[in-house]
Amino acid sequence: MMQSTVTEPAGLDPAALEILRMQLDGVAERMQDALVRSATSSIAREGMDCAAALFLADGRVIAQARSLPLLLGSLLPAVEGVLKRFPVQSMRAGDAYLLNDPWSGGTHLPDLAVIRPILHDGRVAAFAAAILHHQDVGGSTPGSIPPDATEIFQEGLRIPPIRWRQDGEVCEDVAQLLYANSRTPGNLRGDLDAQWACVSLGEREVAGLIGAYGMQAFASGCDALIAQADRMTRAALATLPDGVYRHTDRLDGCGAEPVCIQVRLEKRGSSIDIDFTGSSPQVAAPVNATYAAMLSALFFFMRTLAPDAPNNHGCLLPARWTLPEGSVVNPRYPAPVNARTATVKLACNAMLAAWAGVDPRHAPAPNSGVALVMSVGGTRSSGTRYFFTEIIAGGAGGSPWGEGASGISTDVGNGKNLPVEMLEAQAPIRVECYRRRRGSGGPGVHGGGDGVVRQYLLLEGEAVVSYRSERHESRPPGAAGGMPGMSSSAVLVRADGSRQELPSKSRFQWKAGERLIIETAGAGGWGDPAGARSAPVDVTRTTTREVV
């Protein structure tokens, strides 16, 4: 994508513009609250694996909820995908569009995006959008995240941009097709209804803002906020030294050859080139990340440069990025993509690690690089079925200003683990241990955050587990002389006491009486631990700052 600039339009005065900014942000936050409160699946209601945002009619984002960057950034290509398929002139009040196709603006198949146009005087003025990780959309395993997938067809139902509602009513033929391809049709229906409630709230409130300001003032105000974000991001870049900064990381569990993520950042004046040329070719494993998925990492990185700027399209304008087609960061159809989170997180870590080269002594160490996702589907001894999806975090990197946080979702992640009580009510399991994995963070003047330990006992029946993690075969590096964090691990302990070490991407049968023990990676430490008792570190200058 080519970098560009925007000219700040005349219109609202600075105070009024800040009020509009807060109003738009408030609408996005209320959309997010409605989405979480209305959701049926625990992964959305408790884990908050969902996101909401607002867009102008041309597809530029104008406000995002403070939720999950992994999903927020990917809504931009989703809106673009709808606009390519459905001209705005054809859209009517009460319409809503649905998609999950990774080559039409989607990320992976469980993430369904719902987009509702907001009309003023019969013309589309804006869009309200919501994306949510659904419990199951078909495919070869419960939860639709098969770790052994070799092509997209094994991962579930693929939905190009389609009209899902007309005049506010569900297109029943479409609905029946969706429900027939899910192991949990009730959850699918309930979560889609939650998305409709979310975008409908956004539609009502933005329509009210347009009515209050007038269409011309509203549009010029949004343009001004985008220009402000562009200007603030460029100003932040302009204060830093020009140069070229590189970093390489690798994924594990993808066969004999390592799968590398390579990034080159070239900063010149008030702009930056972000180039992933040199990353491995796409693989016959689900770690491929499409353009829409990678945009989340790019958006997050650009937000770290000017965290006080309006959270909108303007943050992207100073950047130009290259994602080589046919690579693990921009695969061709029909590559499997369900485990793209690992790639997106490592790409984000790679950008932050490369950017630390601007001033290595004043940048944080890499995070753990882990967002463990585990889907479990099984049958009780009574014959009834159950499903759940669990998200488990690692540690945050140590930094010049303090120790890294433990057991926290970092960078593009901002999800939450499921409460033990919720899991035990939902499935026949007992969570026997949930604790901080002390000592897993890398030592340093400021140590890296620790990972966590979670131990489950299956009480009855049997289940199929899809396990996706990272850092089983590598360690999160330290920074400024800090030490690396510990690797992740997962072990299945059989009823007879034998132990099976699990790779980072695995599918297995879980039987009653067996224990599953998961340990996530710690993060890198900051500063040479031998100097931990030396004079205080000067932290008056920092070049990166994490946005959550």
Side-chain angles (χ1 to χ4, degrees), residues 68-145:
L68 190 62
L70 180 67
L71 297 182
L72 286 169
S74 64
L75 274 173
L76 237 169
V79 173
E80 291 176 0
V82 168
L83 288 171
K84 287 179 181 178
R85 174 70 177 82
F86 297 95
V88 291
Q89 296 84 356
S90 69
M91 296 179 180
R92 301 290 180 264
D95 284 353
Y97 303 89
L98 180 73
L99 68 94
N100 72 354
D101 177 25
W103 290 276
S104 301
T107 58
H108 71 165
L109 301 187
D111 290 344
L112 269 59
V114 171
I115 297 158
R116 178 171 183 173
I118 302 169
L119 276 70
H120 178 76
D121 289 340
R123 301 179 64 181
V124 174
F127 292 99
I131 186 169
L132 184 147
H133 182 113
H134 286 258
Q135 187 69 67
D136 188 276
V137 291
S140 62
T141 62
S144 309
I145 54 169

Side-chain angles (χ1 to χ4, degrees), residues 170-222:
V170 173
C171 299
E172 195 57 32
D173 290 347
V174 172
Q176 292 305 316
L177 178 64
L178 297 176
Y179 306 151
N181 281 276
S182 174
R183 297 174 177 87
T184 56
N187 281 10
L188 180 60
R189 181 195 301 266
D191 288 339
L192 283 171
D193 287 345
Q195 289 178 267
W196 174 247
C198 167
V199 297
S200 296
L201 184 151
E203 188 272 339
R204 290 192 302 272
E205 295 204 11
V206 172
L209 289 177
I210 294 172
Y213 282 93
M215 187 63 226
Q216 183 175 353
F218 176 83
S220 66
C222 291

Side-chain angles (χ1 to χ4, degrees), residues 102-103 251 258-263 274-294 321-337 340 343-344 347:
W103 290 276
L251 295 157
V259 177
C260 294
I261 307 295
Q262 183 171 306
V263 67
I274 304 172
D275 188 353
F276 282 88
T277 299
S279 297
S280 293
Q282 68 187 71
V283 293
V287 297
N288 304 290
T290 60
Y291 168 80
M294 286 296 297
W321 51 89
T322 302
L323 300 170
E325 187 176 358
S327 72
V328 71
V329 295
N330 189 10
R332 296 186 182 95
Y333 172 85
V337 298
R340 97 294 184 198
T343 304
V344 174

Side-chain angles (χ1 to χ4, degrees), residues 300-335:
F300 173 85
F301 173 74
M302 295 302 295
R303 287 287 294 134
T304 67
L305 302 177
D308 295 326
N311 189 8
N312 64 36
H313 206 94
C315 300
L316 291 172
L317 296 178
R320 179 173 57 193
W321 51 89
T322 302
L323 300 170
E325 187 176 358
S327 72
V328 71
V329 295
N330 189 10
R332 296 186 182 95
Y333 172 85

